[in-house]
Amino acid sequence: MAAQRKRRLGTTVALTLACVLVCGVAFAGAVFVLMPGARDRGTPVVASGSPTPSKPKPSTPSPKPSLPDSTDEPLPGVDTPATPPPATPVANTGTYECPGFSGIAVPVSMLMNDTFSWGDDPPYKVGDGKGDINWRSDPYHKPSWYMWLHSLRWLGNGIEAGQRGDRKVLAHTMAIIHDWVQDNPYSWKSDIGAWEATMHRTNVLLCARQAVLTGMHVSSLPSQYAWLDKALIDHAQFMIVNWSGSSNHGTDESIALFGVGCTLKKPELKQLAVERLTQAITTAIDPQGSTNEQSVGYGMFNYLLWGRATTALQRCGSDPGKVISQRRAALSEWLALATKSTGELQQVGDAVRQKPTGAAGTSLDYVASLGKHGTKPKKRAAVFDAGYIFGRTGWGETRPFTQESTYSIRYGPARTLHGHDDHMSITYSSHGRDILIDPGHSGYQLDKWQAWSKSAAAHNVMTIPSATTASVQTQLVRAAITPTWESYSLADSPAPDVTRKRDVLVLKDPDLIITLDRGQSPTSQRYETLWHLAPDQKVTVQSPTTAIAAKPGDKSKTYLLQIPYQQTPPSDGITVVQGQQDPVQGWYYPDIFHRQSAPVVKFNRNGTDATILSAIVPAGSSETVTYKTRTIGSMFFVDLTVGARKTTVRVLPDGRLTRIN
């Protein structure tokens, strides 16, 4: 067997796998919100494969190697179901349904030749063609590739063919599964890739068991497959001892553990799984609908995941309770607000470019259909305690859904799980296109690209590249939501003795965003306010105060204005970077497999302090944007003209931004 060829992964590869596989004047009609933070401020013993595993305390997850940027979940957009679970309770059939093999589809012809493929890398022959696999294969040195090999989900087409009665394909598929079981005896904890894939592999084993029964037209497992039930018990025991806790990885483990209990009639496994799910839901999704993953993409994944948990419990006779449905309902509203006018989810945190999955009876159905059907969300803009602000000019009531403007702003706890160092960052869509973008998700490879995509430099924030910054908590000091504008004030200290403040004003008609960034340090620093634009934009710098971005031939353009306020912009006050590799800057990831060059406009300052007043103004291709400034007492005013529309913005001495008309 291939076990004779088995070699341990080197320390570096193992660690990489752990890291990568394993977040004063009120105007009429205004609603002012004082943020929650401001209210107070002004490894256990591993057991052998026993048929009745003992039950440890469900509140004690087994820690994985404590390494930075640990991620251990499947990838949203690649690994999410095409449709959500049923909205109504399902019948109790006493069975666990095979969850399928989405995200990985290896043709039967390749499977029969022991060839594996994932992502955009060429197919690779991992076995001898007879089901004897080299499970240490790692030709592309990619942790995700290795983990998905060990997940066995690439055998999905073979399992489904066997279920339809193809005995030859079933035999070869089961030979590969048996080879994994023999070559990776319990416990496989020393192999991070095999560990991370346990929950996925458990479901594959359950699906394979069902395929054997259906394909061979038998009601009980034939004796030649007795090893399969033993393997399921081993996998259940592994997940009992090595529970990942309240992350979505732990939730997936609990569903798989429940599946083993349901299939093998082990009520103690079902009970433990339900206890863990009950414990995890209150951490995974908070009462406002925010997830603990610090990622919009993983928010969508969590919505579908907890729906699958509910369905699995109901189908096998367990009561999921009310909390899961309540938290999912809140999450559906959160996701609806996190959907851009373009019909895609905000690409915030580790998130690929994707559309929301509609769910009947929820606001997700409304946004997924671009307002054509479903229930319109109750709010137009909302502030969430977990560190998210989502807003829009409307839901398509007075203009087409896709012509509304939408935005997101981040604040809150320091980066964790699938979050980025994106505090104070803004994304913005208007005129039917993306204006300010997030860099996206570069994948799980620990390299310079991932380091950049998670960093502040990859986001629309004021950065201090001359200082050693760290992930920090950011306060949302105040927020005001009115019918035609919203304003927000944020503050943090991203480096020792360095303070950073940002005030944001979002306007409706004309649609635009104004920001006031202030940085201060006892020593001279480099301050750069960054504006990341879509890859198709071409930027022309007209002066130290004005840049214009447009897609050639498009009907719209974007003015990026650096309005002189307290400081005069230097001659190099605006610079543009695109497609730079050292240091990395000016890129965009629509998904983890593709990287595109994209322009970044920088508003620059040098000194102990910086004050940068920016205006991001989308306009029609034939429209002109101009502004004038004036000072009255201690207040500063900006009179903006966008085509034929005019508005006035006031800057108060403390930096607050408000709309006058």
Side-chain angles (χ1 to χ4, degrees), residues 417-438:
L417 296 176
H418 293 284
H420 291 181
D421 285 322
D422 55 2
H423 288 183
M424 300 191 184
S425 184
I426 303 168
T427 65
Y428 189 44
S429 299
S430 186
H431 287 59
R433 61 182 179 86
D434 288 329
I435 305 296
L436 302 176
I437 66 171
D438 186 277

Side-chain angles (χ1 to χ4, degrees), residues 31 37 74 88 99 116 135 185 237 254 257 275 307 326 399 506 614 619:
V31 178
T88 57
F116 172 65
W135 296 105
Q237 180 68 356
S254 296
L257 179 64
E275 289 175 0
Q326 292 169 347
R399 49 173 140 166
V506 186
S614 308

Side-chain angles (χ1 to χ4, degrees), residues 623-624 641-646:
E623 289 183 314
T624 300
T641 301
V642 183
R645 293 162 296 173
K646 296 182 179 181

Side-chain angles (χ1 to χ4, degrees), residues 345-390:
L345 291 168
Q346 293 283 2
Q347 215 169 330
V348 173
D350 284 344
V352 300
R353 187 172 181 177
Q354 67 180 113
K355 295 181 179 180
T357 302
T362 73
S363 297
L364 278 172
D365 196 28
Y366 187 85
V367 297
S369 66
L370 302 180
K372 296 177 182 177
H373 53 74
T375 304
K376 183 176 69 175
K378 298 176 182 178
K379 296 180 179 180
R380 180 181 61 81
V383 175
F384 296 92
D385 294 344
Y388 295 89
I389 302 170
F390 299 123

